Amino acid sequence: MDLAFIPSPSTGVVHLGPIPLRGYAFCIIIGVFIGVWLGNKRWIQRGGRSGTVADIAVWAVPFGLVGGRLYHVITTYEPYFGEGGHPLNAFKVWEGGLGIWGAVALGAVGAWIGCRRRGIPLPAYMDALAPGLALGQAIGRWGNWFNQELYGRATDLPWALKISDDPSIGRVGGTYHPTFLYESLWCIGVALLVIWADRRFKLGHGRAFALYVASYCAGRAWIEYMRVDEAHHILGLRLNVWTALIGLVVSVAYIVVSAKKIPGREEVVEPGALEAAADDTGTGKPGAESKKAGAKAAKAEAETTKAAPKTVKGAPKAAGSGTEHAADGAAKLTKDAGTGSRSGKDF
């Protein structure tokens, strides 16, 4: 008798009159919103405009959904195009079945289209979005919990997942490893790792995104190995294990090679963003950062004036005296402060 386990929902859909509200879809939608929200914060802190991430996501998200579904249908074609399969079921995304590999790959194509239309470098955009993608995946994985799918081997651990019996789809009831939960927690760790590494090493030119891919693939490889659902195997390993290993190697190689060829981080990520920020600051009230910069400028002016040597009586006034230089410097600092400096904090 199992004394402790994680229960599964009795149903993955609730009907609001004639409208079905599906837990799987809600998890995907919430994950997208969280990813865009965090990506927007990081984009602004890198020098971009607010709203740009969402504008490009209008291209990336639909492409990602199509890519995720295509990957699932192609790698698990039997229920749709195999013997006794139903091809129309390939369009029933709400029943589950989105491959993250296809979602990221085709989603990147959509992001590239959006970035190209805005004159934005794709690597910089993907760097800003990387932790948000991981958090979005962490939330999206709970959709598998609502559908009672993608669990691991049988276990009697206290955190085992209780699965109900359903002979119509060949599902055997019992308690299993909650691989959806393992992956969700792993993705949260990936997001925190990318945020820390980006803040510590100032990753740029796609390296933050590559770190996200590498660290996710490292976890996906061992989590995938625990799953017991039907999958194609190559040399004794599940197809997704091989995909994760390849993604890990390619991502690490990119980090190493790109760090040597194009070190550092992009100085400009969105053309015209700094000018727009300066205009907004000039027409509105100065923000906290501008006030802080202005206070530093005033302090620098006072200290410089105090330290400036007094002019000897009767001596000709020298062009560019210390006091004049201090005033010019303070004026320049004050002018720069008015443009609204950005925090170095990265998410």
Side-chain angles (χ1 to χ4, degrees):
M1 179 178 178
D2 299 317
L3 298 179
F5 56 81
I6 301 173
S8 292
S10 58
T11 179
V13 56
V14 176
H15 287 84
L16 185 63
I19 304 175
L21 305 177
R22 302 181 183 277
Y24 186 88
F26 266 113
C27 291
I28 297 297
I29 293 171
I30 294 172
V32 169
F33 273 103
I34 292 296
V36 171
W37 169 78
L38 182 56
N40 183 65
K41 288 180 67 68
R42 285 171 52 82
W43 184 251
I44 294 173
Q45 289 160 353
R46 285 173 179 251
R49 297 181 181 180
S50 177
T52 296
V53 169
D55 290 344
I56 297 176
V58 171
W59 289 91
V61 172
F63 273 73
L65 291 175
V66 172
R69 188 60 175 176
L70 282 176
Y71 182 90
H72 168 75
V73 172
I74 291 173
T75 58
T76 315
Y77 62 86
E78 291 85 357
Y80 312 106
F81 305 105
E83 184 177 354
H86 302 281
L88 291 179
N89 288 346
F91 297 96
K92 297 180 179 180
V93 181
W94 55 88
E95 293 184 354
L98 290 175
I100 186 60
W101 315 112
V104 172
L106 207 55
V109 174
W112 174 79
I113 294 174
C115 287
R116 185 176 178 84
R117 290 168 60 90
R118 300 288 292 264
I120 291 172
L122 177 63
Y125 178 82
M126 300 304 286
D127 280 344
L129 202 62
L133 284 174
L135 286 181
Q137 286 177 244
I139 296 171
R141 270 304 173 200
W142 284 85
N144 302 131
W145 178 62
F146 281 101
N147 286 355
Q148 295 195 46
E149 59 185 1
L150 305 187
Y151 45 84
R153 295 188 292 270
T155 182
D156 57 357
L157 291 170
W159 57 84
L161 177 66
K162 182 71 172 180
I163 296 295
S164 59
D165 188 71
D166 190 348
S168 64
I169 58 175
R171 189 171 68 201
V172 180
T175 54
Y176 301 87
H177 277 284
T179 50
F180 86 91
L181 178 60
Y182 297 161
E183 186 168 338
S184 179
L185 295 175
W186 184 269
C187 286
I188 293 175
V190 169
L192 295 176
L193 171 65
V194 174
I195 290 172
W196 170 82
D198 195 24
R199 184 182 301 173
R200 174 67 176 81
F201 302 106
K202 301 296 180 184
L203 302 177
H205 301 285
R207 287 186 286 276
F209 179 76
L211 177 60
Y212 147 72
V213 174
S215 52
Y216 171 75
C217 287
R220 180 63 184 267
W222 67 266
I223 294 172
E224 186 74 22
Y225 189 74
M226 298 178 64
R227 283 168 48 173
V228 294
D229 52 303
E230 293 294 328
H232 295 285
H233 287 71
I234 300 176
L235 299 178
L237 292 179
R238 294 166 65 96
L239 173 61
N240 283 335
V241 173
W242 284 108
T243 305
L245 293 176
I246 294 172
L248 174 61
V249 173
V250 172
S251 299
V252 172
Y254 176 83
I255 293 173
V256 174
V257 173
S258 68
K260 293 181 178 179
K261 291 188 174 182
I262 43 175
R265 178 186 287 179
E266 299 91 340
E267 294 184 1
V268 177
V269 297
E270 184 170 3
L274 296 179
E275 290 79 358
D279 292 341
D280 293 341
T281 305
T283 57
K285 294 182 179 180
E289 293 179 355
S290 297
K291 291 180 179 179
K292 185 176 180 181
K296 288 183 178 179
K299 183 178 179 181
E301 178 183 7
E303 291 178 352
T304 307
T305 303
K306 183 178 179 181
K310 296 182 178 180
T311 305
V312 180
K313 185 177 181 180
K317 184 178 180 181
S321 64
T323 304
E324 290 175 342
H325 281 304
D328 291 342
K332 186 178 184 302
L333 286 173
T334 306
K335 181 180 178 181
D336 292 342
T339 62
S341 60
R342 297 187 180 275
S343 170
K345 183 179 179 183
D346 294 315
F347 285 90

